[in-house]
């Protein structure tokens, strides 16, 4: 009997761009998603498609992607009218997005929420409406459907049914919201003006950069634009059919500034989508700078040194080389953007924090930065007036989080014993897989799943002991970790990470997030129902030494004078932010007392946030 290895990937067909009838047909492509055991739905280990239509109170029959006739043709043929393809589309794109996070973070992202909701649910036809959103409480993404504007339908038929579940960009955007919520659960609490804007901007960034992984689309756009991936390109626009069908005549959003960047804009814009667009433009500016630098030699060769391409179509070999550079640059940029999460504080994110995390995380894996991608990113942020707090300049060494002094927070005995055992066990497994040529690629594409084990409430005794040891460690070293050491301090997340640097070196670390809450602010009207939280992300090496302490502390006597001043300013800033929103929100004066105390919770609802977006 033949011993046939299981496939690493499952090929599935999707719409690479939004489907639209008219002068430009939709682009379709076949993508490789992680192969896993699927039941009808599709239902896998982390994703579950549930096709319930609340408007008509019915369940659509679930597609079985293991059907031989479907397997033989790389999935169902893309179709706007077939609910079975809609189910395939949301599963395939969501799975591809999840894999991008797994690879960049060096672990399998857990989508478990609570004891019973161990999968993220995807509802392709959840409701009728011009919206799609991630629901934190349901641990689900709900996609709406609506009819195109009868007067201004764009390339769609007037009153045509538009399905948001067929938009690659909308699926990736909402999937990213869900993943971010699982990585940093407090990034949905609007404690400053950047928090929700970061959620929106980062979700757009992942969707935009993922465009460049679809080779057929990339080559078509480079050929049509004669090497230009900006002007009129589908690569830099988001949710084109959605935007046009709602009567705007344009894509929902774009990666490109509409005018020369104005550093003052960042200080004046508060609406989350508009502010998030500043983050998108800053990061995409860095991508374009690196990409153009990477193809400069190709252009010089193709033009004899003039830099001006001759009229007519580009040579196919030149198009292929440009596409290769664009894809590699975009993937590295996406990896940088995702990997930065492990170097963010657990609460109260700002754009400046994100820049520092980007620089630090990338430096850890690639100190040389031969492509100049970090420098290009820093310049993109500078051009838009985004300056992190607590830095003396925008030099890279100033932006990197300061490394902790050895012995700053010595490990407690129980943790120093358990941590190496857990990490070495997974490292040995990782090394064994990587050394086998037959499954080396599978190992790289499917990192060890220890992170899922670490986050299970019913984990092994060793892991439960480790969680308890981490709490003891934080309380015993609260001053060093810039925590108050209160009894309600807890570990919101901890993960083992396994990353391979460009040099080939394997980097193994533990990332632990410690969070504490100022209970006096939980229901205080001046904070709108969002408590003031402090927290620290600790990066711990396999030897037990703390390498980085990335903190957003609460006011505490243990802080030095400068630290206490920053903590006091942060609390005052959160109060001022609530006052600013109250002043601009006409609903504030009409809320009853209970609503008034919890009014910030309404503002952080993603469904309402998306419905209010222009």
């Amino acid at each position: 009997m033949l011993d046939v290895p299981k496939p690493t990937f499952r090929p599935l067909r999707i719409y690479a761009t939004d489907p639209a009838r008219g002068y430009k047909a939709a682009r379709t492509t076949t993508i490789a998603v992680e192969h896993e055991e699927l039941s009808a739905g599709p239902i896998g280990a982390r994703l579950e498609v549930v096709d319930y239509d609340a408007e008509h109170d019915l369940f659509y029959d679930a597609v079985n992607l293991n059907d031989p006739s479907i397997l033989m043709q790389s999935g169902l043929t893309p179709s706007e009218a077939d609910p079975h393809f809609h189910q395939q589309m949301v599963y395939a794109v969501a799975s591809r997005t999840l894999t991008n996070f797994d690879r960049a973070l060096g672990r399998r992202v857990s989508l478990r929420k609570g004891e019973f909701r161990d999968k993220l649910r995807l509802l392709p036809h959840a409701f009728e409406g011009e919206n799609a959103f991630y629901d934190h409480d349901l641990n689900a993404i709900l996609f709406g459907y609506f009819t195109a504007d009868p007067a201004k339908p764009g390339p769609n038929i007037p009153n045509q049914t538009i399905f948001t579940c067929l938009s690659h960009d909308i699926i990736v955007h909402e999937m990213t919201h869900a993943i971010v919520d699982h990585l940093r659960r407090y990034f949905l609490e609007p404690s400053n003006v950047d928090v929700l804007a970061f959620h929106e901007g980062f979700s757009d960034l992942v969707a935009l950069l993922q465009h460049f992984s679809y080779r057929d689309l990339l080559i078509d756009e480079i050929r049509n634009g004669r090497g230009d991936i900006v002007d009129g390109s589908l690569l830099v626009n988001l949710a084109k059919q959605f935007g046009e069908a709602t009567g705007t005549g344009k894509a929902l959003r774009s990666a490109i500034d509409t005018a020369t960047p104005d550093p003052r804009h960042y200080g004046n814009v508060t609406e989350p989508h508009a502010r998030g667009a500043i983050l998108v433009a800053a990061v995409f500016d860095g991508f374009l700078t690196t990409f153009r630098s990477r193809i400069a030699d190709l252009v010089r060769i193709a033009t004899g040194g003039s830099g001006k391409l001759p009229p007519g179509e580009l040579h196919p070999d030149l198009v292929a080389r440009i596409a290769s550079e664009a894809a590699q640059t975009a993937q590295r940029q996406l990896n940088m953007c995702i990997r930065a999460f492990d170097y963010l504080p657990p609460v109260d994110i700002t754009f400046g924090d994100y820049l520092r995390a980007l620089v630090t995380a990338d430096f850890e894996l690639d100190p040389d930065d031969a492509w100049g991608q970090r420098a290009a990113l820093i310049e993109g942020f500078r051009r838009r007036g985004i300056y992190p707090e607590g830095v003396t300049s925008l030099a890279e060494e100033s932006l990197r989080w300061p490394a902790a002094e050895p012995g700053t927070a010595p490990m407690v005995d129980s943790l120093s014993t358990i941590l190496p055992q857990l990490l070495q066990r997974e490292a040995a497994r990782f090394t064994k897989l990587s050394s086998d040529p037959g499954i080396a690629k599978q190992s790289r594409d499917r990192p060890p799943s220890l992170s899922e084990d670490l986050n299970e409430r019913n984990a092994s005794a060793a892991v439960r002991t480790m969680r308890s040891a981490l709490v003891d460690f934080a309380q015993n070293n609260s001053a060093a970790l810039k925590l108050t050491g209160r009894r309600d301090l807890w570990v919101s997340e901890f993960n083992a990470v396994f990353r391979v640097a460009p040099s080939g070196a394997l980097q193994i670390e533990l990332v632990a997030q410690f969070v504490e809450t100022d209970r006096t602010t939980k229901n205080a009207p001046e904070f709108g129902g969002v408590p003031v939280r402090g927290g620290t992300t600790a990066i711990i090496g396999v030897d037990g030494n703390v390498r980085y302490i990335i903190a957003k502390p609460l006011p505490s006597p243990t802080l030095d004078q400068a630290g206490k001043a920053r903590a006091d300013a942060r609390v005052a800033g959160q109060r001022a932010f609530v006052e600013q929103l109250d002043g601009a929100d006409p609903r504030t004066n009409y809320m009853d007392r209970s609503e008034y105390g919890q009014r910030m919770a309404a503002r952080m609802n993603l469904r309402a946030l998306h419905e209010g977006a222009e």
Side-chain angles (χ1 to χ4, degrees):
M1 182 176 179
L2 288 176
D3 183 15
V4 180
K6 289 185 178 181
T8 304
F9 299 107
R10 179 193 297 265
L12 290 173
R13 290 190 277 182
I14 65 166
Y15 284 118
T17 62
D18 291 357
R21 298 183 177 92
Y23 71 94
K24 183 179 285 189
R27 311 288 181 85
T28 63
T29 191
T30 300
I31 63 173
V33 303
E34 176 187 323
H35 184 272
E36 61 176 339
E37 295 299 325
L38 290 178
S39 54
I43 300 174
R46 293 181 288 176
L47 299 172
E48 177 179 14
V49 178
V50 180
D51 206 352
Y52 174 69
D53 185 337
E55 183 68 23
H56 299 97
D57 190 22
L58 63 85
F59 282 93
Y60 291 99
D61 290 337
V63 67
N64 178 15
L65 294 182
N66 291 327
D67 185 297
S69 61
I70 295 177
L71 283 172
M72 288 294 290
Q73 55 181 322
S74 299
L76 296 169
T77 302
S79 167
E80 293 183 76
D82 183 2
H84 287 155
F85 172 73
H86 297 189
Q87 297 160 13
Q88 173 180 299
M89 175 80 181
V90 294
Y91 169 77
V93 176
S95 180
R96 177 66 168 262
T97 306
L98 193 52
T99 296
N100 269 325
F101 276 82
D102 289 344
R103 290 173 175 174
L105 291 173
R107 63 178 184 271
R108 287 174 63 78
V109 175
S110 173
L111 298 179
R112 183 183 180 90
K113 192 176 287 292
E115 185 177 352
F116 301 106
R117 288 170 289 173
D118 59 342
K119 295 179 176 65
L120 177 70
R121 289 186 168 182
L122 309 173
L123 284 74
H125 310 99
F127 62 95
E128 185 173 1
E130 298 176 5
N131 201 354
F133 60 92
Y134 162 68
D135 188 293
H136 167 89
D137 295 326
L138 295 176
N139 197 32
I141 300 175
L142 294 82
F143 297 92
Y145 57 90
F146 62 98
T147 55
D149 189 285
K152 298 178 180 179
N156 308 286
I157 297 173
N159 295 314
Q160 171 186 340
T161 301
I162 306 298
F163 297 97
T164 61
C165 68
L166 294 182
S167 170
H168 167 274
D169 300 337
I170 290 175
I171 298 170
V172 178
H173 180 98
E174 300 309 326
M175 187 65 192
T176 304
H177 274 311
I179 295 172
V180 170
D181 187 42
H182 285 79
L183 293 176
R184 289 291 191 278
R185 66 187 66 187
Y186 297 114
F187 281 11
L188 274 177
E189 293 186 346
S191 52
N192 71 68
V193 69
D194 278 350
V195 175
L196 295 183
F198 175 80
H199 237 290
E200 291 297 332
F202 180 75
S203 297
D204 280 353
L205 270 173
V206 175
L208 285 162
L209 292 172
Q210 201 159 298
H211 284 172
F212 291 83
S213 65
Y214 306 133
R215 181 173 174 79
D216 293 343
L217 171 64
L218 185 55
I219 285 178
D220 284 348
E221 290 301 295
I222 289 173
R223 181 170 53 241
N224 294 338
R226 304 187 71 253
D228 185 0
I229 61 172
V230 175
D231 291 340
S233 173
L234 294 173
L235 296 168
V236 299
N237 291 311
L238 284 171
K240 190 172 178 64
Q241 184 189 34
F242 181 96
E244 291 174 335
T246 55
T248 65
K250 60 181 181 180
L252 185 62
R253 288 188 288 280
S254 173
I256 307 301
D257 295 311
T258 56
T260 302
D262 183 351
R264 296 171 297 181
H265 195 50
Y266 175 62
N268 298 326
V269 174
T270 58
E271 196 282 319
H273 293 87
R275 192 172 182 87
I278 300 173
L279 177 67
V280 173
V283 174
F284 207 79
D285 190 331
F287 161 74
L288 285 177
T289 297
T290 305
F291 165 67
R292 287 166 176 162
S293 172
R294 297 276 297 173
I295 66 169
D297 58 339
L298 297 176
V299 174
R300 283 194 299 271
I301 294 170
T303 62
S306 70
K308 294 183 179 180
L309 293 167
E313 288 199 11
L314 299 182
H315 192 284
D317 289 346
L318 178 61
V319 172
R321 286 292 308 278
I322 292 175
S324 176
E325 293 295 342
Q328 290 182 57
T329 307
Q331 187 62 52
R332 188 175 188 279
Q333 192 94 346
L334 179 57
N335 289 343
M336 289 173 66
C337 290
I338 294 172
R339 194 181 300 125
F341 264 85
D342 282 343
Y343 292 79
L344 287 172
V347 297
D348 204 31
I349 175 71
T350 68
F351 288 2
D353 294 335
Y354 187 54
L355 175 58
R356 299 193 73 177
L358 279 166
V359 172
T360 308
D362 194 63
F363 174 82
E364 281 289 301
L365 277 191
D366 185 16
D368 295 336
D369 189 25
W371 290 15
Q373 214 150 349
R374 290 198 295 272
L377 268 175
I378 294 169
E379 177 62 13
F381 277 71
R382 184 201 66 78
R383 293 181 66 203
R384 287 155 187 85
I386 302 173
Y387 307 119
E389 293 182 3
V391 300
T392 56
S393 74
L394 290 180
E396 184 180 308
E397 58 271 20
S398 178
L399 288 173
R400 292 198 300 267
W401 296 117
E405 292 291 333
T408 297
M411 304 297 286
V412 295
D413 291 341
S414 58
L415 184 57
S416 61
T417 301
I418 297 167
L419 175 61
Q421 291 176 354
L422 287 172
L423 294 185
Q424 287 170 8
R425 181 191 73 187
E426 294 303 313
R429 176 167 164 260
F430 182 91
T431 305
K432 181 179 179 181
L433 289 171
S434 299
S435 63
D436 186 332
I439 53 177
K441 191 175 192 308
Q442 181 177 357
S443 171
R444 290 193 298 270
D445 293 335
R446 300 184 63 180
S449 58
L450 174 61
S451 59
E452 289 187 323
D453 296 337
L454 293 177
N455 293 317
E456 293 288 342
R457 294 188 181 275
N458 298 319
S460 66
V463 173
R464 289 198 300 271
T465 301
M466 186 174 181
R467 185 183 293 275
S468 176
L470 278 169
V471 173
D472 291 342
F473 161 69
Q475 290 178 334
N476 293 336
N477 296 279
S478 57
L481 295 174
K482 301 182 181 179
L483 299 165
T484 64
R486 294 172 179 169
R487 290 187 176 182
D488 62 354
L489 182 151
W490 69 301
V491 181
S492 65
E493 189 92 7
F494 64 110
N495 298 284
V497 297
F498 303 80
R499 301 180 182 130
V500 179
S503 64
L506 176 62
Q507 184 184 75
I508 308 172
E509 292 177 323
L510 180 80
V511 180
Q513 300 174 40
F514 304 99
V515 174
E516 50 189 2
T517 303
D518 183 347
R519 296 296 179 183
T520 65
T521 64
K522 184 174 182 180
N523 295 310
E526 63 268 30
F527 291 99
V530 173
V532 176
R533 301 191 195 274
T536 295
T537 297
I539 312 294
I540 305 170
V542 70
D543 59 358
N545 286 321
V546 177
R547 302 189 62 246
Y548 287 99
I549 296 172
I550 303 163
K552 282 292 180 80
L554 291 173
S556 169
T558 61
L559 296 173
D560 59 27
Q561 186 172 358
K564 188 175 186 306
R566 284 195 294 271
D568 289 338
R570 192 170 68 83
V571 175
Q574 184 169 337
R575 184 187 295 109
F577 174 57
V578 175
E579 292 176 358
Q580 180 186 20
L581 291 189
D582 285 348
D585 190 342
R587 299 173 300 171
T588 302
N589 293 331
Y590 298 95
M591 293 178 177
D592 64 30
R593 192 147 189 89
S594 60
E595 290 175 327
Y596 187 77
Q598 299 296 321
R599 62 197 180 281
M600 292 302 287
R603 290 168 179 155
M604 70 186 195
N605 180 283
L606 287 175
R607 177 173 190 166
L609 186 64
H610 288 177
E611 288 175 346
E614 295 181 0

